[in-house]
Amino acid sequence: MEMKVNHQGKKLRKILMGLIYAALFIGAIQFLFDSDPFNDYIGWGFLLTFWFIRLLLTGLKNIADGRKNLAMFNIGLSIIAGIAVAATWITYFFGI
């Protein structure tokens, strides 16, 4: 009985993450290709946030599966993406 509940939780988590990925990616495409060039920061921020979350969760999954080299690669890329996300949003909001 407990296994069935755990399976439903994993399925719900996959659906929720899929919706978050889709929203970030569609938002990025929408802001990058609209007529206002000042929205490009928002589009790039959404796209970088998408890749940051994707790489971080993939790295954590690789750690759990025992693939340490691939996990370190994904976590390293997620750190770079996180710095880029922070720089993009700080530039957009504060105009630095």
Side-chain angles (χ1 to χ4, degrees):
M1 183 118 161
E2 183 179 331
M3 189 171 171
K4 186 176 182 181
V5 172
N6 191 16
H7 179 67
Q8 289 175 347
K10 285 183 181 181
K11 187 175 180 180
L12 182 64
R13 190 176 322 135
K14 281 180 117 175
I15 291 171
L16 183 63
M17 288 311 299
L19 289 173
I20 291 172
Y21 289 152
L24 285 171
F25 194 74
I26 290 170
I29 297 300
Q30 181 179 357
F31 279 112
L32 282 173
F33 293 110
D34 68 349
S35 60
D36 188 8
F38 295 109
N39 286 340
D40 287 348
Y41 275 131
I42 298 172
W44 284 113
F46 281 166
L47 193 61
L48 288 168
T49 305
F50 167 80
W51 281 111
F52 171 69
I53 294 170
R54 183 91 174 148
L55 287 167
L56 185 65
L57 292 178
T58 304
L60 294 175
K61 184 179 178 194
N62 285 333
I63 288 174
D65 291 342
R67 293 178 273 186
K68 299 210 184 299
N69 289 336
L70 191 56
M72 287 175 43
F73 179 71
N74 284 330
I75 298 294
L77 286 177
S78 72
I79 290 170
I80 293 170
I83 292 170
V85 165
T88 301
W89 289 118
I90 288 172
T91 303
Y92 178 74
F93 285 120
F94 298 116
I96 297 173

